[in-house]
């Protein structure tokens, strides 16, 4: 764009192009943004879906559906021009015979397009705003190379000469002037570029058709030029054509064209039977350059076809290599058959569901768009899971943006018993079995389905995962990080209370077989029930809120420190087991620790010492699993 067109434009003379995508009266609507050329990008910050916007009078939007159809129609005429221009150079009789009326009609359509171009709004490349001022549109078109070349390729020079002089000429100069029509081929290039970007059309077949068109144009042009060289040589018998067909100039046009195409194809394909060969020095020079050109064209065709074919098979190659690597690894390390089958199933699922993996699709999108997509997909699942029922919309929105979606094939362990808890999961689709191992034997406990949760007990209590969770069939789950979950809940106290209440209700609904595998959880529930029973009616609500606040706070520590408390002096262990140690989460103060010990052992202590008799003065100095003696 010239410097004169880069000056600031009034807002009334520029418009974001995306608004025109929704015009229905004059231009229809664009149904697929992928079909837009890369030169027609919207301005940054454009808001889609605004009210209908009309252009100025006598202006055409570049996205106008009818204008797009007009451009597609011109592409068909360009194909004719690409064929007729070399043909009329070689066979000048055709240019003044049957093809002359067709040429005039085609030129008339392109003349109309030149006029229409003065009324087509364009995008300013510095601002990506649509320019609607007539003077700027005209100035931009006239000052570019497009205008003089469009005019030169449209003028019917032979007809003008005949009108002016009254004579019909078949001079070579008019054949070369007709070659100016090849300037129109740029429209075909842009047309194929748009098709390649349009997801409605197969990329493979679009590229394949483009390669065929390039090859046919090269064959046609070379054959016509080669025949033209034979017609203009001073001794027609000393040409490749005259050596095979004496007096060929008086023969049929289609006979000469057939021979030309035959020579061009056998030369392009490097077959070279030798029946048609260069005779004079000019033909030999042309043939040399044509064969050199064919080397590049052949490399271009083979390279493109190879890429298209390999592109369809590359995923299969990668999958086969990955499977072979797994089989070699399993064999080398003598892995059991079941574990090897799980590895193969996971790898196969990874390739089969590659297009379903949210992470690969979403990783390059802005965070706001990712969050909106995840809310659309998984918000209902989160809201209906037992832990998050009744929480605020703000909590759900923040939590959704941090989740990760994953697929698991059948009979694969998602959570392994006694592993370190780092994440918990919600089932989106599919089903899982909850199993445990006792005395080396696997025992089935329960089955979980859509919108149910697992792994949260180990995460919240900060204990090794109590169960193994295994998929029954293809399952999709969302994974929630322990770290992100705690960071999110800490400032949202009301939501923390709701989550705590939901969690307690869930624990109370567990089967006895499941609780038997979690002594810490059973003890927690027993203490909770006994404390609820001991609350008097007057202070029940305050004490319950205090308990909820204390428990919720303990759940959100990162990570909570666990200690074992005893209700006696370290050197006076009672003979009976009635006063055994209790595993608790370390509170924030010594006063709270003494209160917890009082609730556990039934009496108030005043002194806290370690196993070696040293007195505890600062709780921050304590470590995981320290033994404290309170008396």
């Amino acid at each position: 764009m010239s410097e004169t067109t880069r000056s600031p434009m009034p807002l009334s003379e520029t418009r974001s192009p995306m608004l025109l995508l929704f015009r229905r009266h004059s231009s229809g609507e664009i149904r697929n943004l992928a079909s837009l050329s890369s030169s027609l990008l919207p301005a940054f910050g454009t808001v889609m879906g605004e009210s209908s916007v009309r252009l100025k009078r006598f202006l055409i939007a570049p996205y106008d559906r009818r204008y797009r159809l007009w451009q597609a129609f011109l592409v068909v005429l360009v194909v004719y021009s690409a064929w007729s221009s070399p043909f009329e150079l070689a066979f000048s009789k055709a240019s003044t015979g049957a093809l002359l009326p067709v040429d005039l009609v085609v030129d008339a359509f392109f003349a109309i397009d030149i006029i229409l171009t003065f009324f087509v709004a364009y995008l300013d490349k510095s601002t990506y705003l649509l320019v609607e001022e007539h003077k700027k549109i005209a100035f931009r078109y006239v000052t570019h190379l497009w205008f003089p070349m469009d005019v030169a390729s449209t003028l019917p020079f032979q007809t003008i000469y005949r009108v002016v002089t009254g004579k019909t000429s078949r001079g070579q100069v008019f054949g070369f002037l007709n070659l100016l029509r090849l300037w129109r081929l740029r429209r075909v290039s842009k047309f194929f570029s748009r098709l390649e970007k349009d997801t409605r059309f197969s990329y493979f077949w679009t590229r394949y058709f483009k390669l065929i068109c390039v090859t046919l144009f090269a064959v046609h042009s070379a054959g016509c030029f080669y025949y033209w060289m034979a017609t203009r040589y001073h001794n027609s018998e000393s040409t490749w054509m005259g050596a095979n067909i004496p007096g060929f100039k008086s023969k049929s046009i289609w006979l000469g064209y057939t021979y030309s195409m035959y020579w061009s194809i056998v030369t392009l394909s490097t077959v070279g039977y030798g029946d048609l060969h260069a005779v004079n020095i000019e033909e030999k020079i042309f043939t040399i350059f044509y064969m050199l050109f064919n080397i590049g064209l052949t490399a271009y065709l083979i390279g493109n076809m190879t890429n298209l074919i390999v592109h369809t098979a590359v995923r299969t190659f990668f999958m086969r290599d990955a499977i072979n690597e797994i089989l070699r690894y399993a064999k080398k390390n003598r892995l059991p058959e079941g574990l090897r089958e799980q590895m193969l199933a996971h790898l196969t699922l990874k390739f089969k569901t590659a297009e379903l993996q949210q992470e690969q699709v979403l990783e390059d999108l802005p965070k706001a768009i990712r969050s909106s997509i995840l809310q659309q997909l998984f918000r209902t699942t989160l809201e209906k899971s037992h832990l998050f029922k009744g929480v605020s919309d703000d909590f759900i929105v923040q939590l959704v943006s941090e989740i990760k979606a994953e697929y698991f094939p059948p009979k694969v362990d998602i959570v392994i018993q006694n592993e370190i808890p780092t994440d918990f999961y919600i089932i989106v689709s599919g089903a899982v079995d909850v199993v445990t191992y006792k005395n080396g034997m696997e025992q089935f406990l329960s089955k979980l389905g859509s919108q149910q949760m697992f792994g949260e007990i180990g995460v919240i209590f900060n204990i090794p995962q109590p169960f193994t969770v295994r998929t029954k069939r293809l399952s999709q789950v969302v994974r929630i990080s322990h770290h992100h979950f705690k960071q999110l809940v800490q400032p949202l106290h009301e939501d923390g209370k709701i989550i705590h209440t939901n969690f307690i209700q869930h624990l109370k609904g567990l089967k006895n077989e499941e609780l038997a595998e979690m002594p810490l959880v059973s003890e927690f529930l027993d203490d909770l029930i006994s404390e609820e029973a001991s609350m008097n009616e007057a202070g029940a609500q305050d004490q319950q809120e205090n308990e909820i606040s204390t428990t919720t706070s303990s759940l959100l520590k990162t990570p909570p420190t666990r200690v074992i408390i005893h209700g006696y002096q370290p050197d006076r262990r009672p003979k009976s087991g009635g006063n055994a140690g209790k595993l608790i989460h370390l509170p924030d103060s010594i006063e709270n620790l003494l209160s917890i010990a009082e609730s556990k052992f039934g009496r108030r202590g005043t002194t806290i010492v370690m196993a070696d008799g040293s007195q505890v003065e600062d709780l921050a100095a304590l470590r995981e699993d320290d033994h404290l003696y309170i008396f």
Side-chain angles (χ1 to χ4, degrees), residues 249-279:
K249 292 184 180 180
S250 61
K251 302 294 182 180
S252 168
I253 291 176
W254 297 110
L255 177 65
Y257 184 69
T258 303
Y259 268 76
S260 300
M261 293 301 100
Y262 172 75
W263 170 86
S264 183
I265 290 174
V266 296
T267 305
L268 174 66
S269 60
T270 67
V271 176
Y273 296 111
D275 49 349
L276 298 178
H277 59 277
V279 176

Side-chain angles (χ1 to χ4, degrees), residues 121-225:
Y122 71 93
L123 287 175
D124 185 285
K125 292 185 178 180
S126 61
T127 62
Y128 281 103
L129 294 174
L130 206 61
V131 179
E132 303 178 32
E133 188 177 356
H134 286 283
K135 291 183 180 180
K136 290 187 176 181
I137 295 173
F139 182 79
R140 173 178 178 268
Y141 183 42
V142 172
T143 55
H144 277 68
L145 179 63
W146 306 335
F147 178 70
M149 289 301 297
D150 285 347
V151 173
S153 62
T154 303
L155 289 176
F157 292 101
Q158 279 186 302
T159 302
I160 294 174
Y161 178 82
R162 184 176 180 178
V163 171
V164 173
T165 65
K167 301 177 181 179
T168 300
S169 174
R170 296 178 181 175
Q172 299 294 333
V173 63
F174 292 109
F176 283 103
L177 288 175
N178 284 340
L179 293 180
L180 291 173
R181 298 172 185 167
L182 297 180
W183 164 257
R184 302 168 182 170
L185 285 173
R186 79 187 194 283
R187 297 176 182 269
V188 179
S189 177
K190 292 180 179 179
F191 176 74
F192 276 110
S193 296
R194 287 196 297 269
L195 287 184
E196 290 171 3
K197 296 179 178 68
D198 195 333
T199 56
R200 295 173 297 176
F201 301 96
S202 168
Y203 178 79
F204 175 87
W205 291 110
T206 301
R207 293 286 296 179
Y208 185 71
F209 183 67
K210 179 181 179 180
L211 296 176
I212 292 177
C213 292
V214 170
T215 304
L216 292 178
F217 177 72
V219 168
H220 170 75
S221 299
C224 289
F225 275 110

